[in-house]
Amino acid sequence: MVMTEVFDKLKSLQEVLAEKYSLEAKIEDAPKQLGSRDELLIRLRKEFLEKNTIYEQLKAEVEELKKELAAAESSREIGEKNMDNISTHREYEALEKQISEATEKENTVRKELQKKEKELNELNEQLQCDTEMIKAQEEDLNASKSALDSEVADYKKQLANLESKEAEIIPDLDNEIVYKFQRIIQRNTEGIVAVKNGVCTGCHMILPAQFANEVRAGEKILFCPYCSRILYYQEVAEGEEEDYFSMDETGTLADLDDEFADEYDEDSEGSENNEDSSDLDEEKPISFED
C-alpha cells in the first residue's frame, strides 16, 4: 500500500475514532446528568421522613392532652354537681378547691392543646406539599431516565456502526501505528495533521528542515517530534503562506501544552519509525518569537 493510501485511511480512521470517543464519553457521562436530581429526591424523602416522625410524636402529644383536658373537665363537672349535696363548710371548701384546680388545669391544658393542634395542622400541610413535590420529582426523574435510556440506546447504535467502519479500515494498517494513533486522538481529537511551510499544523511548531523534507517525500510514517501526531505534507495555496506564518500561530518548545508531554515520552520508544530522528537533533527548530 502506497503512503498516500495509508494517509487517506488514517484520515478516515481519524473521523471515525473522534466520533467514537465522543459517543463513548457521552455514554459514560449519561448517568451523571441525573445525579443532581437523584440527590434532590433522596434529600426530599429524608426530610419527609424526619417531618413525619415529628408529626407522629406531635399527634401523640395532642391525644394525651385531649385525655388530660377531658379528665380536668370531668373533675370540674363532678365538683359542681356535688355542690348541691354538701352539708358542712369543710365539704364546701374541699369541693371549691377541687373545682378551682380542675378549672385551672382545664384552661392550661386547653391552651397547650390549641397550640399543639395548630402545629400539627401546619406540619400536616407541609407533609402534603412535600408529598406532592416528591411525586412530581419522581415523575420528572422517571421521564428523564426514560429519555436518557433512549438517548443512550441511540448512542450505542451509532457506536456499533462506527466500530464496524473502524474494523473495515484498520486491517491494512500497522497495529502499532493504530495503537499510537488511537491514543493521540483520545487526547487531542486529531491524530494526523498536515505540514505546511515546514510547520506542524497540530502544534504550530516549526520543524527541522531536513525532517520537513522527509515528510514532504512521504515515504514513511513520521511523527511530529513535539506533539507526536502523524504528519503528511500539504502544499500551501497561493496567498496562504503569508497568513500561515504568523507570530500568533507558530511557537517554540516552551509554548507546547503539557498534554503533549506524556505522548512524546510514550512515542520516544517508537522512534524506530522515524529512522533519522536522532540525526535531526543537530538542526534545532527555529521560532518566530523575538
Side-chain angles (χ1 to χ4, degrees), residues 190 192-216 223-227 229-236 240-252 255-256 285-289:
E190 286 186 317
I192 179 169
V193 295
V195 172
K196 295 182 180 180
N197 285 328
V199 177
C200 170
T201 59
C203 61
H204 305 297
M205 293 296 296
I206 302 172
L207 302 170
Q210 182 180 345
F211 183 76
N213 286 335
E214 290 186 17
V215 174
R216 182 171 187 171
F223 293 85
C224 175
Y226 307 120
C227 67
R229 293 179 173 96
I230 294 175
L231 302 174
Y232 67 93
Y233 179 76
Q234 182 173 327
E235 291 285 354
V236 179
E240 185 180 355
E241 180 174 354
E242 183 177 351
D243 292 336
Y244 187 77
F245 279 98
S246 67
M247 291 291 291
D248 293 335
E249 294 182 346
T250 56
T252 64
D255 299 321
L256 284 177
I286 61 175
S287 169
F288 284 97
E289 295 184 342

Side-chain angles (χ1 to χ4, degrees), residues 80-97:
E80 290 173 347
K81 287 180 180 179
N82 288 336
M83 274 292 189
D84 297 333
N85 301 320
I86 61 174
S87 57
T88 64
H89 183 69
R90 182 175 292 182
E91 290 177 350
Y92 175 81
E93 288 179 345
L95 286 174
E96 186 179 48
K97 183 180 179 182

Side-chain angles (χ1 to χ4, degrees), residues 17-73:
L17 291 178
E19 189 174 353
K20 172 186 172 181
Y21 296 145
S22 175
L23 286 172
E24 288 177 341
K26 289 180 180 179
I27 292 173
E28 183 178 354
D29 291 340
K32 299 176 184 178
Q33 297 179 24
L34 302 177
S36 59
R37 297 185 185 181
D38 273 325
E39 291 174 2
L40 175 60
L41 187 56
I42 291 171
R43 181 171 58 82
L44 289 174
R45 286 171 174 168
K46 182 180 179 182
E47 292 176 353
F48 178 85
L49 290 176
E50 291 173 352
K51 287 182 181 179
N52 192 64
T53 299
I54 296 173
Y55 177 82
E56 292 299 329
Q57 293 173 349
L58 195 55
K59 187 178 179 181
E61 291 177 12
V62 167
E63 292 301 320
E64 189 63 30
L65 287 170
K66 286 181 177 180
K67 290 179 182 179
E68 291 183 23
L69 179 60
E73 289 175 341

Side-chain angles (χ1 to χ4, degrees), residues 61-200:
E61 291 177 12
V62 167
E63 292 301 320
E64 189 63 30
L65 287 170
K66 286 181 177 180
K67 290 179 182 179
E68 291 183 23
L69 179 60
E73 289 175 341
S74 177
S75 178
R76 175 181 56 78
E77 290 172 355
I78 291 172
E80 290 173 347
K81 287 180 180 179
N82 288 336
M83 274 292 189
D84 297 333
N85 301 320
I86 61 174
S87 57
T88 64
H89 183 69
R90 182 175 292 182
E91 290 177 350
Y92 175 81
E93 288 179 345
L95 286 174
E96 186 179 48
K97 183 180 179 182
Q98 177 183 338
I99 294 170
S100 177
E101 289 176 352
T103 301
E104 184 178 354
K105 177 74 171 178
E106 184 180 346
N107 292 334
T108 301
V109 172
R110 183 175 284 109
K111 288 180 181 179
E112 184 66 15
L113 178 60
Q114 290 173 347
K115 178 183 175 182
K116 293 294 183 180
E117 285 180 332
K118 182 179 180 183
E119 292 177 5
L120 189 66
N121 290 332
E122 290 176 350
L123 192 54
N124 184 51
E125 290 178 2
Q126 291 179 22
L127 288 172
Q128 290 179 356
C129 290
D130 289 349
T131 300
E132 293 176 1
M133 185 181 298
I134 290 172
K135 183 180 178 181
Q137 286 292 331
E138 287 175 339
E139 292 175 352
D140 181 61
L141 184 60
N142 290 334
S144 297
K145 284 182 178 179
S146 178
L148 189 61
D149 289 342
S150 177
E151 190 174 348
V152 169
D154 184 56
Y155 287 156
K156 289 181 178 179
K157 288 181 181 179
Q158 296 179 47
L159 190 60
N161 185 44
L162 290 169
E163 288 173 344
S164 297
K165 292 181 179 179
E166 180 183 3
E168 294 175 359
I169 297 173
I170 61 175
D172 297 329
L173 298 174
D174 181 79
N175 290 335
E176 184 178 353
I177 296 296
V178 171
Y179 174 75
K180 291 182 178 180
F181 193 65
Q182 291 170 334
R183 289 289 299 270
I184 296 170
I185 293 179
Q186 282 177 331
R187 296 187 180 189
N188 306 298
T189 70
E190 286 186 317
I192 179 169
V193 295
V195 172
K196 295 182 180 180
N197 285 328
V199 177
C200 170

